[in-house]
Amino acid sequence: MGNVPGVKPPELQSLVRIQDRLTFLYVEHCVVNRADNAITITDKRGTVHVPAAALSVLMLGPGSNVTHAAISLLAESRSTCIWVGERGVRYYCHGASLANSTRLLEKQARLVSSERSRLKVARKMYAMRFPGEKTDGLTMQQLLGKEGTRVRRAYERESARTGVAWSGRSYKTTDFDDADLVNKALSAVNTSLYGVVHSVIVSLGCSPGLGFVHARDERSFVYDIADLYKVDITIPLAFDLAALEVADISSAARKALRDKMKDGKFLARCVHDIRFLFSEEEEDDIVTEACDITTQIWAGAADYSQAGHNFSAGSANDHYGDDV
């Protein structure tokens, strides 16, 4: 390939490992630019330089403006960028994934494409929600019934604990205000939970649309994973907020969930749970270390072959070029 203008991106092995980077940096009401190999963040207080290679995720909040140069540097440094709501409690979209391999995505696609393996993953999800109870052999209808009973009892339990009246889950996606206080709180805090879970899923390189219980929605897998935590996290939180009768329940719900997750333990838990759901008996764990991934071509029964070669007869060793 001919000369390409610009600085050549660094090799993957020369970059700072993800585990040694800052987990994330949240910015708002500022301009994000580039100075050499640093990201500059400028607001009314001045300018701060942040080494791009030290970042895992740059979270752009309301009022943020980012330049082409800054995004290019983040991409070269294998740092991702996500656009979020105030204080990072709502996820909107993302840049490149943190994953350097499609291994998890391929496993997700394979597991969801077979009724047997899909049901197996669904049973694992429900087993995580019903500790001490066996889910082996249960059909999806039976699992859904058990989950419905569990959630109903959770609502009743939190209503009794907080003294907040509960008459059932009722809301309109098109009209947030057409609901009682506790239902508003549930809608707001669950939306924030979806945003956090969505961020984790895309950072791992998985598809948010390939769900195992939920289906045919662009966020099916987001709903699957979020449902693992609602009884423990969002339902009690929503009833607590409703009991306080706060004026702006939507804002209070988002900030309360943010405060509950700011220590980072939930993110680690969510990553672990996704990897566990995709794990299989013959595998002890999924590789998390950064490594060079050589692009390959699927060769059918011959398995995989290295990309960048001409596979026609007599040309097996011909290389296509550096652009492959």
Side-chain angles (χ1 to χ4, degrees):
M1 189 174 182
N3 292 330
V4 179
V7 179
K8 184 178 180 180
E11 297 293 331
L12 182 62
Q13 293 288 4
S14 68
L15 296 173
V16 179
R17 295 187 301 176
I18 292 296
Q19 68 187 53
D20 297 325
R21 300 185 183 201
L22 298 173
T23 53
F24 69 89
L25 177 63
Y26 171 81
V27 299
E28 63 179 26
H29 302 291
C30 64
V31 175
V32 181
N33 206 337
R34 172 180 184 170
D36 297 324
N37 287 322
I39 293 296
T40 63
I41 302 163
T42 304
D43 64 9
K44 60 184 179 182
R45 296 168 295 179
T47 299
V48 174
H49 290 68
V50 181
L55 272 177
S56 293
V57 180
L58 177 64
M59 303 173 72
L60 297 174
S64 300
N65 290 294
V66 61
T67 67
H68 179 276
I71 291 296
S72 295
L73 178 59
L74 289 170
E76 291 167 2
S77 303
R78 303 289 295 193
S79 302
T80 194
C81 184
I82 62 175
W83 282 258
V84 298
E86 182 187 9
R87 300 285 182 174
V89 294
R90 184 173 301 207
Y91 165 90
Y92 296 120
C93 62
H94 70 282
S97 165
L98 289 175
N100 65 338
S101 167
T102 61
R103 184 174 181 180
L104 272 180
L105 177 59
E106 290 177 23
K107 293 195 72 169
Q108 180 186 13
R110 175 168 56 81
L111 291 170
V112 82
S113 298
S114 160
E115 184 174 338
R116 177 177 295 181
S117 60
R118 183 172 185 171
L119 179 57
K120 185 176 180 180
V121 174
R123 285 173 177 159
K124 289 176 75 172
M125 288 180 175
Y126 286 112
M128 294 167 68
R129 304 182 215 183
F130 311 135
E133 297 185 35
K134 285 190 172 295
T135 59
D136 296 343
L138 296 181
T139 66
M140 276 304 301
Q141 288 76 16
Q142 291 171 323
L143 291 169
L144 291 170
K146 285 175 66 68
E147 172 67 359
T149 300
R150 170 177 173 265
V151 172
R152 185 180 69 251
R153 289 175 179 172
Y155 287 139
E156 294 170 350
R157 182 174 62 250
E158 295 305 319
S159 176
R161 179 181 67 84
T162 59
V164 175
W166 176 252
S167 57
R169 185 76 172 105
S170 176
Y171 65 96
K172 294 181 180 178
T173 56
T174 56
D175 190 355
F176 176 78
D177 291 322
D178 187 20
D180 58 25
L181 195 61
V182 67
N183 272 288
K184 288 181 183 178
L186 283 165
S187 295
V189 78
N190 284 338
T191 297
S192 298
L193 176 65
Y194 296 149
V196 176
V197 170
H198 201 148
S199 298
V200 173
I201 288 171
V202 298
S203 293
L204 290 174
C206 300
S207 169
L210 295 181
F212 293 83
V213 177
H214 295 84
R216 297 183 176 178
D217 185 278
E218 63 180 352
R219 294 197 294 175
S220 293
F221 192 51
V222 175
Y223 301 141
D224 279 358
I225 299 301
D227 279 355
L228 299 176
Y229 314 115
K230 288 181 178 177
V231 168
D232 295 332
I233 298 175
T234 59
I235 293 177
L237 188 56
F239 275 86
D240 286 341
L241 292 169
L244 294 174
E245 298 183 351
V246 295
D248 188 348
I249 193 71
S250 178
S251 176
R254 294 196 301 268
K255 291 177 180 178
L257 186 67
R258 174 202 66 198
D259 293 341
K260 199 171 188 65
M261 295 183 174
K262 65 183 181 182
D263 61 3
K265 292 181 180 179
F266 175 79
L267 296 181
R269 176 184 176 186
C270 192
V271 170
H272 174 273
D273 290 345
I274 292 172
R275 293 186 183 280
F276 167 73
L277 289 171
F278 292 167
S279 66
E280 298 175 86
E281 288 78 7
E282 67 271 15
E283 295 178 318
D284 295 326
D285 199 2
I286 297 172
V287 177
T288 58
E289 291 291 331
C291 56
D292 280 324
I293 302 296
T294 301
T295 303
Q296 296 180 319
I297 292 176
W298 181 56
D303 203 13
Y304 291 89
S305 299
Q306 186 175 345
H309 292 273
N310 188 324
F311 292 94
S312 62
S315 304
N317 294 322
D318 291 347
H319 199 279
Y320 286 149
D322 294 333
D323 57 329
V324 177

